[in-house]
């Protein structure tokens, strides 16, 4: 490695996070190359954005930092067949999620620095906040520090994408991976989705209009989440009625009770002991039949048809920042294959 000020960077993958990282780093003065397979769906987009695009094997050869921003499940093969044979001696290998390193799917070469930089937001937000002079908070970690400068490289990259404009928090690959998976499964994606669906079903089964139930259990959830985002539970209490507060304080524990907490602990245990990782790796290797079936059932839930009809009349959605770009995997930084 020749420099820690403006190292040459290759971004492998150009999905939601990959594009945002590449654009932000270039605007921060870095020499950025994008590694993509020829003819892939994102090659045209990267070239249109003005980047030098090379096949991944060629792109990583001259890089001082190689950022792997492809989906988790394609990374082991990509690393073994393309990156490891071509990445320069002593270069820095960077991930946006610790899954493969933490669960032993990738064992990086011993001469490499190995770090993690994970923005806590989707790529569209990472780009938008950078453009207006702010940044999405990020966490970073060092797994392997061969050069003695691994933390510096992580923080340099973090600053380049705008993450260091906020308070970048040092973590570990273990902590980032396990907390990220838990948040997705128990609260943000799995927990929230099932809570919304169960609430809607409860009202509809009791004879209430599906459209009214949609507004109460799904649509208005954004209002509460925005308050959480801006100022935590404290801000929510400042803006909801006393009736809503009393109902939340007295009836919330009906829903999230000791059994719910026990189930959350089970989710966490299966993340910590590798059960979830083994299941997901096996599912992917077998062709994803169960995953596709379960996802399709989610997409075909009756609340989706009701919501589609109601949202057709919400003209403001077509001009919102979130609608301008697909919200591709806010919680999974690697969203497009190389």
């Amino acid at each position: 490695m020749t420099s820690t000020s403006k190292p040459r960077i290759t971004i492998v993958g150009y999905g939601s996070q990959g594009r945002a990282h590449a654009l932000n780093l270039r605007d921060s003065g870095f020499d950025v190359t994008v590694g993509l397979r020829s003819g892939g769906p994102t090659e045209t987009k990267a070239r249109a954005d003005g980047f030098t695009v090379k096949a991944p094997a060629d792109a990583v050869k001259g890089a001082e930092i190689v950022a792997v921003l492809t989906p988790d499940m394609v990374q082991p093969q990509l690393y073994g067949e393309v990156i490891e044979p071509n990445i320069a001696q002593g270069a820095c290998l960077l991930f946006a999620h610790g899954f493969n390193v933490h669960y032993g799917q990738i064992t990086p070469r011993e001469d490499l620095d190995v770090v993690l930089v994970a923005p806590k937001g989707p790529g569209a937000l990472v780009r938008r906040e950078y453009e207006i002079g702010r940044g999405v908070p990020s966490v970073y970690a060092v797994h392997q520090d061969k050069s003695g400068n691994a933390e510096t490289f992580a923080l340099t990259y973090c600053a380049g994408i705008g993450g260091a404009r906020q308070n970048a928090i040092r973590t570990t690959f273990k902590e980032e991976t396990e907390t990220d998976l838990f948040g997705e499964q128990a609260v943000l994606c799995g927990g929230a989705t099932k809570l919304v669906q169960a609430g809607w079903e409860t009202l509809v089964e009791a004879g209430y209009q599906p459209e009214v139930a949609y507004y109460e259990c799904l649509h208005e959830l954004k209002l509460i989440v925005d308050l959480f985002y801006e100022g935590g539970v404290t801000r929510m209490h400042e803006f909801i009625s006393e009736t809503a507060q009393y109902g939340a304080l007295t009836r919330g524990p009906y829903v999230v009770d000791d059994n719910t907490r026990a189930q959350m602990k089970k989710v966490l245990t299966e993340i910590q002991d590798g059960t979830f990782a083994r299941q997901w790796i096996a599912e992917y290797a077998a062709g994803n039949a169960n995953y596709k079936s379960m996802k399709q059932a989610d997409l075909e839930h009756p609340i989706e048809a009701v919501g589609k009809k109601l949202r057709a009349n919400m003209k403001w959605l077509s001009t919102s920042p979130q609608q301008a770009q697909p919200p591709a995997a806010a919680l999974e930084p690697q969203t497009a294959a190389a």
Side-chain angles (χ1 to χ4, degrees):
M1 192 81 68
T2 59
S3 170
T4 57
S5 57
K6 294 289 183 182
R8 296 183 305 278
I9 299 174
T10 286
I11 304 291
V12 183
Y14 204 69
S16 173
Q17 289 287 343
R19 183 173 187 267
H21 288 212
L23 290 169
N24 290 3
L25 288 163
R26 184 177 64 186
D27 289 352
S28 294
F30 290 86
D31 178 2
V32 179
T33 298
V34 178
L36 298 169
R37 66 177 183 270
S38 179
T42 52
E43 181 187 17
T44 301
K45 181 184 291 186
R47 292 191 187 280
D49 286 337
F51 287 104
T52 298
V53 180
K54 299 180 180 180
D58 294 327
V60 304
K61 287 179 180 177
E64 294 172 276
I65 296 178
V66 174
V68 185
L69 301 177
T70 58
D72 286 333
M73 292 299 102
V74 307
Q75 287 183 14
Q77 182 177 3
L78 176 68
Y79 175 77
E81 296 180 2
V82 176
I83 295 176
E84 186 175 66
N86 293 289
I87 190 172
Q89 189 85 8
C92 180
L93 183 64
L94 183 146
F95 296 90
H97 183 36
F99 185 97
N100 283 302
V101 172
H102 178 55
Y103 290 117
Q105 300 305 294
I106 292 176
T107 302
R109 247 176 31 204
E110 292 185 1
D111 63 281
L112 302 173
D113 288 340
V114 182
V115 303
L116 176 149
V117 175
K120 296 291 97 180
L125 183 64
V126 171
R127 179 59 179 162
R128 190 162 63 249
E129 288 294 292
Y130 179 93
E131 289 181 302
I132 61 178
R134 299 190 305 228
V136 172
S138 299
V139 298
Y140 73 97
V142 174
H143 175 74
Q144 210 163 270
D145 186 10
K146 185 67 175 179
S147 70
N149 292 315
E151 183 172 16
T152 299
F153 288 118
L155 288 172
T156 298
Y157 185 99
C158 187
I161 64 172
R165 293 172 177 174
Q166 304 296 328
N167 181 28
I169 298 174
R170 178 158 180 162
T171 183
T172 63
F173 273 61
K174 178 181 188 296
E175 183 176 64
E176 186 277 333
T177 301
E178 293 179 356
T179 57
D180 186 75
L181 292 175
F182 177 81
E184 292 170 353
Q185 295 172 23
V187 181
L188 304 175
C189 301
T193 298
K194 293 307 177 186
L195 182 66
V196 165
Q197 290 173 344
W200 183 85
E201 290 166 1
T202 300
L203 288 177
V204 172
E205 289 168 6
Y208 299 102
Q209 294 181 70
E211 294 81 4
V212 174
Y214 175 88
Y215 282 128
E216 296 301 334
C217 295
L218 190 152
H219 179 82
E220 292 191 25
L221 181 62
K222 182 185 186 305
L223 307 178
I224 302 303
V225 170
D226 284 350
L227 293 173
F228 284 163
Y229 186 82
E230 294 166 5
V233 175
T234 299
R235 188 161 179 82
M236 181 200 73
H237 279 295
E238 291 173 356
F239 283 86
I240 64 174
S241 70
E242 290 181 335
T243 303
Q245 291 181 56
Y246 181 75
L249 294 168
T250 59
R251 268 55 177 182
Y254 287 11
V255 179
V256 179
D257 58 9
D258 289 342
N259 180 65
T260 308
R261 292 186 180 87
Q263 293 299 99
M264 285 185 169
K265 289 179 181 178
K266 181 180 179 181
V267 169
L268 181 57
T269 296
E270 291 184 352
I271 291 168
Q272 292 171 328
D273 67 16
T275 298
F276 169 77
R278 289 190 295 271
Q279 288 177 347
W280 174 219
I281 292 166
E283 173 69 21
Y284 186 85
N288 277 333
N290 292 326
Y291 159 76
K292 291 175 182 176
S293 176
M294 291 184 291
K295 181 177 178 180
Q296 191 60 35
D298 237 15
L299 298 177
E300 293 175 354
H301 190 282
I303 196 174
E304 291 303 292
V306 174
K308 184 177 181 180
K309 181 178 69 174
L310 293 174
R311 289 191 300 272
N313 294 317
M314 300 178 190
K315 303 304 181 184
W316 65 89
L317 292 179
S318 63
T319 58
S320 71
Q322 289 80 6
Q323 293 297 108
Q325 296 187 42
L331 303 159
E332 183 179 359
Q334 320 71 244
T335 59

